[in-house]
Structure formats: structure tokens, C-alpha cells
Amino acid sequence: MDVVLFLALGLLAQSLGLPLGVLGLRRPSTLFPWRRAPTPGRVRRAWVIPPISVSENHKRLPYPLVQIKSDKQQLGSVIYSIQGPGVDEEPRDVFSIDKFTGKVFLNAVLDREKTDRFRLRAFALDLGGSTLEEPTDLEIVVVDQNDNRPVFQQEVFAGRVLEGAIPGEQEPGPPRPLFPRGRGSGWPAPCPAPPPALQQPASPGLVPTLSPDPMLPSPQVVAVYNLTLQVADMSGDGLTATASAIITVEDINDNAPGFTRDEFFMEATEAVSGVDVGRLEVEDGDLPGSPNWVARFTILEGDPDGQFAIRTDPKTNEGVLSVVKPLDYENCDQYDLRVVVRNEAPLQAVASRPERGQAWVRVQVQDVNEAPVFQENPLRTSLAEGAAPGTPVAAFSAQDPDTQQLQRLSYSKDYDPEDWLQVDGATGWVQTRRVLSPASPFLKDGWYRAIILAHDDASPPCTATGTLSIEILEVNDHAPELSPPSGSLCSKPDQGSGLLLSATDEDLPPHGAPFHFQLSPRFPELARNWSLSQINMSHARLRLRHQVQEGLHRLSLLLQDSGQPPQQREQPLNVTVCRCSPDGTCLPGAAALRTGGAGISLSALVIVLASVILLLRECYLGDEDQDYSCLQDWGPRFAQLADLYGTPRGPE
């Protein structure tokens, strides 16, 4: 088999613009891979076919690569075939062969970055399919072309560099490009035109660095650099790619703040707080709005009581001086403050101290008319209840803080709901003008409140308001009273629950209960028939010791409260002793008058007889059908009259 290489490889070299020697080929006449040597005998020698080169990305397809021939048989009687990757192995159908002529064709576009060479096996068969010769190797080499651009990892890179950085210092965050596999003629070259302050090193993938030129301008001049980065292969003559780099120049605190003047003069009004009195102007060369620019002010001396404060205006960076505690012109009419200014961020060591890092601020206090001041407000005092008119209450006077102005004070009432007090207009002396009732609705928990005004005679005048709180002290001026002063009791001691007695007192605690109940010591005989026992703080129970005559009995009781000193009162108690029912209650008409029992006075007897006459007249003047029922009702009504008007002979 002979190989027709000259035409095919010549065309390939011409398409690549290369001489034939580049492909490593000679210009043979005809090559026969299986030709026998001309020496006698059957000595076989194998020819080695040099690699066949073809360029990647060849577009004219199918493209003839080579023609192989065998001299074993005549033309047309040999069948040729090839096997291997690119034919019957992946990637398939890249190469093919004309089985009758032995021409090998390229059928697909090659990519050297995927496959850089193909090794095939060539076969020669007779028409019956028998092998004529041993297979021979056929190697096809893919020639590289510059068909891949270098690629950056990202389109935009962001970085930062500190103001005043040393030339040659690398920038953080390297923008490294990506390159296609293989390092042939397309190996990248550095950017041909570096920026004036930043330069790209020649080594692939390194970061921009500061050039040896002078330092970067401060952020106040150029805060951000927008760079365009370019990478090129083939020593800068091949394909290129671009990306953007945004380099931010970060400000450092290399400029200390300073006052625009050595002294500032301001005025402040006395007796007010929470007001601004002036501004302190400063200068700072750092980036506005950054911590390196923001000023912080400190008062070093001249304000021992902390009456002033300085805050920073975030827009202008000025110091705003304000009064936080009221000033007093009479105490101090002028303040000399020594103020220092510093940045919020620490100052760098390279920065120089300003000439005006401190300043003096003189604050002149303006005098104004101030309202009088009550020395004790509210003023609390106490007064016993029932105090007579004209009783002194308190001297509720005020003082004028304007000691350098001759002013006169006067006093008046603003609130006195019971009109109980009177105030001396010249001295502020307060006394009662009438007796205050303990039942007044304006007494709250025993306290009475009034409001007194103090006026000065300045122009315009000022008024002070004072609160006078008076505690009305409770006194024990009332004795307890029996409630009720009468009652009924069963005549048999062993029946009924006795008579429940209670007491009340107009005094408030602690001058009321507990009460003490006692049979009057002036009548010792009462204790023979009656007993009195305490139940609780305000109640007692009266019982009979033995059976006594039915009727009305008058007793005398002694009641005492718990006040200091205690109040006591001897009070009469009318007890009706009645005939008892089995359950211990009084039967109707049980308190009948008896001889030797409770006697009836002449006046009571006259009243009873008159009542009887009226009752009889009512019965007989009515209807006849009602006469009998009227007379039936007469008995119980007469018994009630007897119970009502019956009187005992004396305390029993």
C-alpha cells in the first residue's frame, strides 16, 4: 500500500500558513506501508508512518487527510478499513475511509482541548475478506489554534485600599483570570496600559498593586477608582478579555479636628434649662460623615455642677452648647469653659495635632425676674378639730430670689373650698376664720388642702404657688350613745336570748370602739336582778338573773369609749319585761299593769282612759256588724297602751 501524502499534507500546511517542514513531512513519491524489501527472500520490514497533523476547527468537511495503498493486489481488488477512537469508538464518525481507494477523510470539527491526538489501525483485505497484510498504525495529531479567550472569574471585582498605603502594596481580593486548558501560543500577557496609580503585575492572576508613583490622593479627592482590566494571550497579540475592578480608597483618621477660633462668646438666660446657647465651629480634613470626621466635645473645666452639655450636630459637625440645669444669675453671672474636641475614631499616629484642639467658651448669664420661692412647698401642718376662729395655722411665707432687685411680696388665697382660712396679705400668716365641720366633703382622709399665692411687684410680676395641707386631728369630744335606748325582755331568765344592746360614737377611730358597757354603780341594786355581758367591741347582752315582775323597768347604764382621755355617759334604758311564749318571745299584751308592780302615773292614766273612751266611741258609732269585732280588738289594743305608758317606780 502506498501513501499519497504530499498533496494532502501540502494542502494542510497551506491552510495553516506553515511550511511543510513544520509538519515533519518529506515529499515522497509514493509510500507503501506493506511493500516488501527488494532483497531476495521473504524478509518483511514494517514502515512507520509519521503522525499526520490536522488543525482544530477545520471547517471544510469532509477533508481528505491521507491515502493508503497496498501493492499486494491490483487496484480494485483490495478492501481498506480503519478502526479506533474517532471511527468505531467514541467519539464516533470523526474519520472515515474509502474502502476501495484507501482515502482517509476528516468528517467533524476537532477540538484540541478535548482530544489532542487519535491513534487508528489500518487494515487491508482481499475481496473475500481475508487479511492481506498485518494491520498498521495511523496516528492523527490535532494542531492547536488560538480559539479560546481567557476568562475572568467574575465580571466585576471589588477591593479597598487604605488612604496613605505604601507603594507596591497588594490590593485585597485578587481578580484572577481563567484560561483554557493547555498552555500553547495563547498564554496570557499583562495589561499593556496599567492605570496611573494602580498597576497589574505580569504574572497571571496577581492583584493590582500601588505603583511606585506618589501615594493615592485622599478620599476627599478621589474616593473610588473604576478600573478596566484586560488579559491577552499570545504575548498580548492574541485573544483578549476584560473585567472591571472597583477600588475604594478608605479614609483613615489622619486629620485631627480643630476649632476655628480660640475663644467663643455666648449668652444664656438664668432660671431656664433645656435650651441651646451657641455653636462651636470646627474643621476636619477627613471624609465627612465618617467616624474619622465626627467630632466629640468635652468640657474640661469651668462647669463643676454639670450645668452645660455639648452635643454634635451630625450635619455640620459643630458643637451645640446647651444649658441642662437652670443657671442662677445671683449665684454666678459668668462661666468660662475650657473645651476640647476629638474624633469619634482614634487618631492615627501619622496625624499631627491641630493648633486649635482646645478653645475657651465664655457664657454670660442674663438676669431675669424670677418668681418667689416658698421655702417649704407643700407645707404640712395639723390642727385639732373644732378649733375656734382665729386659731393660728402656719406662717406660709416666700422669698424672692432676685436679691439684687428691691421687690415687695404679697399673699392671697387661690383655693380654699370651705372658706375656712384667712391669709395676711403682707406676711403670709394663715389662721382660721371659722370652725371647720368634720363632715366637710373637702376633707380627704383627714386632710384639708388650700393653695396660697405669693406675688412680687416687678414688671412684669411673677407669682409662686404654694400648697398648704392641714391635717385635722380627731379629738375625743363625744361620749358613746346607747342604740336603741329601749327594748323587751322575757320575764323568765331561762327563756329567750336576752336583750342585745349596741352603742355609737360620733368620734372617729381611735376615739370610738371598743365600748365598755356597765350597770350604773350609783344603783347597786340593779346587779341583783340584772346581768350585763360584753359580746364584741360595740355590743353587749342584758339578761335577768331571776324572774321579775312583768311591766316596764327603767335601768341606768354607764357607757365608755376608748379615746384618750376616754369619754363616758350614764344613760337610761327602758326594758319591758313581758310574758313569754315557749320559744322565749314576748306574747301580745304581756306587759299588763299589775298592782304592786309597775305603777302608772296620773298623766299616763289620763292618757290611757282617754284612749279607752275613744276606742269605745269608735266601736259604738260604727256599723252594728262591726261592733262585736271592734270590742274583740279592744283588749290587745289596751294592753299595748299599758305597755306604752306604764312607768316603773324607780331603777330596779
Side-chain angles (χ1 to χ4, degrees):
M1 179 185 294
D2 60 341
V3 182
V4 181
L5 296 174
F6 179 76
L7 179 60
L9 297 181
L11 292 175
L12 175 61
Q14 184 179 2
S15 65
L16 297 176
L18 301 174
L20 290 175
V22 174
L23 300 178
L25 299 177
R26 292 177 300 173
R27 186 168 183 173
S29 56
T30 303
L31 296 178
F32 297 89
W34 296 288
R35 172 176 292 182
R36 295 176 177 82
T39 57
R42 297 183 58 86
V43 178
R44 181 189 301 271
R45 68 180 182 89
W47 283 25
V48 178
I49 300 177
I52 302 171
S53 299
V54 60
S55 174
E56 66 173 333
N57 301 317
H58 194 81
K59 299 296 191 300
R60 291 180 297 174
L61 302 175
Y63 178 74
L65 296 177
V66 68
Q67 183 178 10
I68 59 176
K69 287 185 178 181
S70 172
D71 57 355
K72 191 73 174 284
Q73 298 285 351
Q74 295 296 324
L75 181 66
S77 62
V78 181
I79 304 299
Y80 300 97
S81 65
I82 55 176
Q83 296 178 359
V87 181
D88 56 353
E89 298 178 18
E90 293 296 334
R92 296 176 180 273
D93 302 327
V94 177
F95 304 100
S96 63
I97 189 171
D98 188 320
K99 64 181 180 178
F100 297 112
T101 64
K103 292 182 179 180
V104 180
F105 295 93
L106 171 68
N107 300 318
V109 177
L110 300 178
D111 185 354
R112 184 179 181 277
E113 282 67 42
K114 294 182 178 179
T115 307
D116 59 350
R117 65 183 61 238
F118 296 88
R119 290 184 175 86
L120 308 178
R121 298 276 285 175
F123 301 90
L125 307 175
D126 60 14
L127 296 178
S130 299
T131 301
L132 295 177
E133 302 288 351
E134 293 294 326
T136 187
D137 294 330
L138 181 61
E139 183 175 9
I140 301 174
V141 177
V142 182
V143 179
D144 184 36
Q145 282 190 337
N146 189 18
D147 59 343
N148 290 285
R149 295 178 180 274
V151 180
F152 283 97
Q153 289 180 333
Q154 58 195 68
E155 295 182 359
V156 180
F157 297 89
R160 58 184 177 83
V161 62
L162 294 178
E163 173 190 6
I166 301 173
E169 183 176 334
Q170 287 192 351
E171 216 275 318
R176 297 182 181 274
L178 295 177
F179 305 105
R181 288 188 303 169
R183 297 189 177 182
S185 61
W187 186 244
C191 175
L198 296 169
Q199 64 180 7
Q200 172 73 26
S203 300
L206 291 185
V207 298
T209 61
L210 292 174
S211 70
D213 295 333
M215 292 189 304
L216 291 173
S218 67
Q220 291 79 356
V221 179
V222 179
V224 178
Y225 286 86
N226 293 304
L227 308 180
T228 299
L229 307 178
Q230 184 185 66
V231 60
D233 55 18
M234 297 185 65
S235 299
D237 295 329
L239 301 177
T240 63
T242 60
S244 297
I246 301 176
I247 309 300
T248 302
V249 181
E250 293 189 351
D251 183 49
I252 64 172
N253 193 11
D254 57 348
N255 294 283
F259 291 101
T260 58
R261 301 198 304 270
D262 294 329
E263 294 182 343
F264 295 86
F265 298 92
M266 303 176 185
E267 292 182 345
T269 303
E270 70 166 332
V272 294
S273 62
V275 295
D276 298 337
V277 297
R279 289 176 172 257
L280 308 176
E281 298 177 356
V282 295
E283 296 175 340
D284 195 307
D286 292 306
L287 185 65
S290 69
N292 303 322
W293 175 80
V294 175
R296 290 291 179 262
F297 301 87
T298 305
I299 301 175
L300 296 181
E301 61 180 78
D303 184 24
D305 298 326
Q307 294 177 286
F308 298 92
I310 304 178
R311 70 179 187 277
T312 302
D313 187 324
K315 295 182 179 179
T316 65
N317 212 29
E318 296 174 320
V320 182
L321 181 67
S322 61
V323 178
V324 295
K325 293 181 181 180
L327 305 176
D328 187 358
Y329 175 84
E330 287 71 25
N331 183 42
C332 181
D333 61 356
Q334 178 178 295
Y335 291 86
D336 291 318
L337 310 177
R338 186 163 68 94
V339 181
V340 65
V341 60
R342 297 184 179 89
N343 283 130
E344 188 176 86
L347 191 65
Q348 299 293 330
V350 297
S352 59
R353 296 289 176 180
E355 297 181 359
R356 292 182 174 145
Q358 296 186 17
W360 287 95
V361 182
R362 174 162 292 180
V363 181
Q364 190 69 41
V365 182
Q366 295 179 334
D367 188 23
V368 297
N369 181 35
E370 300 174 76
V373 177
F374 286 98
Q375 298 305 303
E376 185 178 356
N377 192 10
L379 176 63
R380 292 180 173 86
T381 186
S382 59
L383 199 66
E385 67 170 335
T391 301
V393 177
F396 201 20
S397 59
Q399 291 184 354
D400 195 333
D402 297 308
T403 58
Q404 300 185 16
Q405 301 178 21
L406 297 178
Q407 297 177 356
R408 180 177 298 176
L409 301 183
S410 59
Y411 302 88
S412 64
K413 291 191 306 181
D414 182 63
Y415 179 76
D416 180 17
E418 285 285 2
D419 196 22
W420 181 46
L421 306 173
Q422 59 183 7
V423 181
D424 189 305
T427 63
W429 183 260
V430 182
Q431 61 183 11
T432 62
R433 60 180 298 173
R434 62 186 183 86
V435 177
L436 177 64
S437 171
S440 170
F442 298 100
L443 276 177
K444 304 299 182 183
D445 297 328
W447 288 84
Y448 182 81
R449 187 174 69 92
I451 296 178
I452 309 299
L453 303 179
H455 317 269
D456 62 21
D457 57 355
S459 181
C462 287
T463 301
T465 301
T467 300
L468 178 61
S469 295
I470 307 172
E471 182 182 17
I472 307 302
L473 299 177
E474 179 74 18
V475 296
N476 193 16
D477 55 351
H478 296 88
E481 293 185 4
L482 196 62
S483 176
S486 61
S488 298
L489 187 64
C490 183
S491 61
K492 296 181 179 181
D494 56 347
Q495 292 185 355
S497 59
L499 177 60
L500 183 64
L501 303 176
S502 65
T504 60
D505 197 322
E506 295 184 17
D507 294 315
L508 298 176
H511 303 299
F515 302 116
H516 178 67
F517 297 83
Q518 180 183 4
L519 294 171
S520 176
R522 295 193 307 110
F523 303 99
E525 63 274 13
L526 293 176
R528 294 195 300 267
N529 298 327
W530 309 89
S531 66
L532 194 61
S533 59
Q534 192 90 18
I535 296 178
N536 52 31
M537 297 174 62
S538 59
H539 292 77
R541 190 180 304 278
L542 180 67
R543 289 181 177 275
L544 282 171
R545 292 185 182 274
H546 50 79
Q547 188 169 356
V548 298
Q549 185 180 5
E550 297 178 2
L552 184 62
H553 297 260
R554 175 170 289 179
L555 282 65
S556 182
L557 271 60
L558 184 65
L559 272 66
Q560 179 177 298
D561 59 24
S562 297
Q564 292 296 328
Q567 292 281 349
Q568 64 181 11
R569 175 184 299 176
E570 188 172 333
Q571 301 182 44
L573 173 64
N574 293 328
V575 180
T576 301
V577 178
C578 61
R579 186 181 302 117
C580 301
S581 64
D583 60 357
T585 60
C586 291
L587 295 172
L593 300 179
R594 296 178 180 273
T595 306
I600 301 177
S601 64
L602 179 60
S603 59
L605 181 59
V606 172
I607 294 174
V608 171
L609 292 176
S611 299
V612 170
I613 294 172
L614 291 174
L615 289 172
L616 293 175
R617 183 174 181 273
E618 180 182 355
C619 291
Y620 284 104
L621 292 179
D623 295 338
E624 292 182 359
D625 295 336
Q626 297 178 352
D627 292 345
Y628 180 73
S629 61
C630 181
L631 291 175
Q632 284 183 326
D633 294 338
W634 183 85
R637 295 173 71 179
F638 180 78
Q640 293 177 0
L641 290 173
D643 289 342
L644 180 61
Y645 293 102
T647 57
R649 290 191 284 271
E652 300 181 10

